Amino acid sequence: MIPDVQKLIELEKLAAPSKGAPNPKHAMTWDDYHTLEDMYTYLDYLEETFDFVTTEVIGQSYEGRDMRVVKVCRGGCGEKKAVWIDGGIHAREWVSPATVTWMLMELVENDAAHADLTEGLDWYFVASANPDGYAFSRD
């Protein structure tokens, strides 16, 4: 039996040791679970930095938080086969939004290593499909 489950929950919030200097344009590091605001700042960074990335608000949550999709499409969206990746459907699935944003980072920032993925497919990412639950579980 676990004598103090709360201690284990608090340990989940501790950051892992950092593996390098953070990017001054966003807070995402993939060695910690980040806030929704950090994730959205990262989406903004990608949109500003890479011409084949756009974002769109696809609605608001019950509590009024934006629900955003990232579109990764070379030559415009809609003419190629599509891949849809979403995460954060359940509130305490913190690893899911982290995984989705890591996949997004790998696809976009390391595009040269696998350009065939963005040349042959359109990609759509929703990092947190349940932003209210994610925010609530982090407080």
Side-chain angles (χ1 to χ4, degrees), residues 36 40 57-68 128-135:
L36 189 65
Y40 284 179
V57 175
I58 56 173
Q60 276 73 41
S61 67
Y62 179 78
E63 294 180 358
R65 290 178 177 87
D66 283 345
M67 298 175 69
R68 295 178 64 185
S128 182
N130 179 5
D132 295 342
Y134 184 78

Side-chain angles (χ1 to χ4, degrees), residues 5 13 15 25-26 30 45-47 54 57 59 67 82 84-85 89 94 96 100 112 117 124 126-127 133 137:
V5 175
K13 296 180 180 180
K25 296 185 179 184
H26 65 80
W30 295 278
Y45 159 77
L46 291 176
E47 185 172 36
T54 59
V57 175
M67 298 175 69
W84 176 273
I85 298 174
I89 295 169
W94 295 358
S96 178
V100 171
L117 294 176
Y124 301 88
V126 175
S137 70

Side-chain angles (χ1 to χ4, degrees), residues 28 30-34 39 42 85-88 93-107 125-128 134:
M28 294 299 290
W30 295 278
D31 57 10
D32 194 7
Y33 295 116
H34 289 273
M39 285 188 268
Y42 180 64
I85 298 174
D86 56 31
E93 290 178 346
W94 295 358
V95 72
S96 178
T99 301
V100 171
T101 55
W102 183 88
M103 293 171 69
L104 181 57
M105 178 270 299
E106 181 64 30
L107 182 71
F125 292 85
V126 175
S128 182
Y134 184 78

Side-chain angles (χ1 to χ4, degrees), residues 68-101:
R68 295 178 64 185
V69 64
V70 180
K71 303 174 187 178
V72 180
C73 307
R74 290 202 174 272
C77 293
E79 298 300 319
K80 298 175 273 192
K81 291 184 179 181
V83 178
W84 176 273
I85 298 174
D86 56 31
I89 295 169
H90 302 104
R92 289 201 52 88
E93 290 178 346
W94 295 358
V95 72
S96 178
T99 301
V100 171
T101 55

